C-alpha cells in the first residue's frame, strides 16, 4: 500500500505542478499580449507549414522590421493574413504601410497593409493546429472536465485509517482518553 500511496501522491503533485504552469502561462499571455494563431494554408511553407500553430505577440507599427513574419487583420469577414514583411513605409506617428509576401508565394501580396499594430510570430510548431482543434471539441472538453472533477473527488475522498500495529499516541496505549 505504501508504494501505491507514493505513486498516487507523485501523480497528484505532477498534476498540481501542471496546473500552476498553466496558470502562469495564462497570466504571461495577458501581461505580454501573447496569443496563438493556427495556419490553414501553406503560404508560409517551408518556414511555417500548413497545420502549424504559432505564438504571436502584438507589437506597434513602429517596431515592425523587414524580415519579420507578422499577422495583419483584413477587412471584416476575411481571415487575417500571416506573411513575411518585405518593405516598411513609415507614415505618421504610430502607423506604417507594410508590404508582405508568403514564403511559398512567387509574388508579393496585392497591396500594402496600413497598420497601427501587428502580431509578430515569435515561434511556431508544425502539426500542432490539429491537436489544438481536437482539444477544443466540446465532447473532448466535457470529458476532460469530468475526468478532472473525478480526480479532485478521488483526491479528497475520506479514506479509512490504516492500522500499522503502532499506537498513534501514548494515551491509546493505556486505553484512556485525555
Amino acid at each position: 500500500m505504501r508504494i501505491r500511496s507514493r505513486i498516487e501522491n507523485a501523480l497528484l503533485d505532477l498534476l498540481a505542478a501542471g496546473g500552476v504552469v498553466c496558470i502562469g502561462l495564462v497570466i504571461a499571455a495577458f501581461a505580454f499580449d501573447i496569443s496563438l494563431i493556427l495556419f490553414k494554408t501553406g503560404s508560409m511553407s517551408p518556414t511555417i507549414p500548413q497545420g502549424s500553430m504559432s505564438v504571436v505577440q502584438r507589437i506597434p507599427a513602429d517596431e515592425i522590421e523587414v524580415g519579420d513574419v507578422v499577422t495583419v487583420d483584413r477587412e471584416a469577414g476575411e481571415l487575417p493574413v500571416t506573411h513575411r514583411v518585405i518593405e516598411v513605409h513609415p507614415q505618421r506617428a504610430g502607423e506604417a504601410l507594410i508590404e508582405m509576401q508568403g514564403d511559398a508565394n512567387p509574388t508579393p501580396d496585392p497591396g500594402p497593409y496600413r497598420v497601427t499594430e501587428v502580431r509578430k510570430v515569435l515561434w511556431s510548431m508544425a502539426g500542432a493546429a490539429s491537436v489544438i482543434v481536437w482539444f477544443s471539441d466540446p465532447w473532448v472538453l466535457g470529458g476532460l472536465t469530468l475526468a478532472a472533477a473525478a480526480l479532485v473527488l478521488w483526491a479528497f475522498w475520506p479514506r479509512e485509517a490504516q492500522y500499522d500495529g503502532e499506537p498513534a499516541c501514548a494515551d491509546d496505549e493505556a486505553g484512556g482518553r485525555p
Side-chain angles (χ1 to χ4, degrees):
M1 286 299 235
R2 285 182 166 220
I3 293 175
R4 179 179 169 200
S5 178
R6 286 184 182 183
I7 292 172
E8 289 173 354
N9 287 337
L11 179 63
L12 289 174
D13 289 346
L14 183 65
L15 291 172
V20 169
V21 168
C22 287
I23 291 169
L25 289 173
V26 168
I27 291 170
F30 278 110
F32 300 109
D33 209 358
I34 292 175
S35 59
L36 302 176
I37 291 189
L38 307 179
F39 286 81
K40 287 186 163 192
T41 69
S43 66
M44 282 303 296
S45 291
T47 308
I48 305 172
Q50 181 179 0
S52 295
M53 178 271 313
S54 286
V55 175
V56 296
Q57 182 177 30
R58 194 173 303 275
I59 62 168
D62 300 340
E63 295 179 18
I64 302 169
E65 296 178 2
V66 171
D68 287 346
V69 177
V70 300
T71 300
V72 297
D73 294 318
R74 295 192 282 183
E75 297 297 319
E78 289 188 73
L79 292 174
V81 62
T82 303
H83 284 160
R84 188 171 306 279
V85 176
I86 56 173
E87 286 188 48
V88 178
H89 305 283
Q91 302 296 297
R92 55 191 157 142
E95 188 177 82
L97 280 176
I98 59 172
E99 293 186 43
M100 301 191 324
Q101 180 176 349
D103 289 358
N105 296 348
T107 59
D109 293 357
Y113 300 93
R114 182 176 301 275
V115 296
T116 55
E117 63 184 17
V118 297
R119 289 167 286 179
K120 181 179 178 179
V121 174
L122 302 177
W123 60 272
S124 63
M125 181 183 294
S130 60
V131 174
I132 292 171
V133 169
W134 183 79
F135 272 109
S136 66
D137 181 86
W139 288 102
V140 173
L141 285 174
L144 290 172
T145 302
L146 289 175
L151 183 64
V152 168
L153 183 64
W154 170 78
F156 292 105
W157 194 264
R159 292 181 171 65
E160 291 182 27
Q162 296 179 359
Y163 182 69
D164 59 4
E166 304 240 346
C169 66
D171 288 336
D172 286 345
E173 205 171 289
R177 294 189 176 251

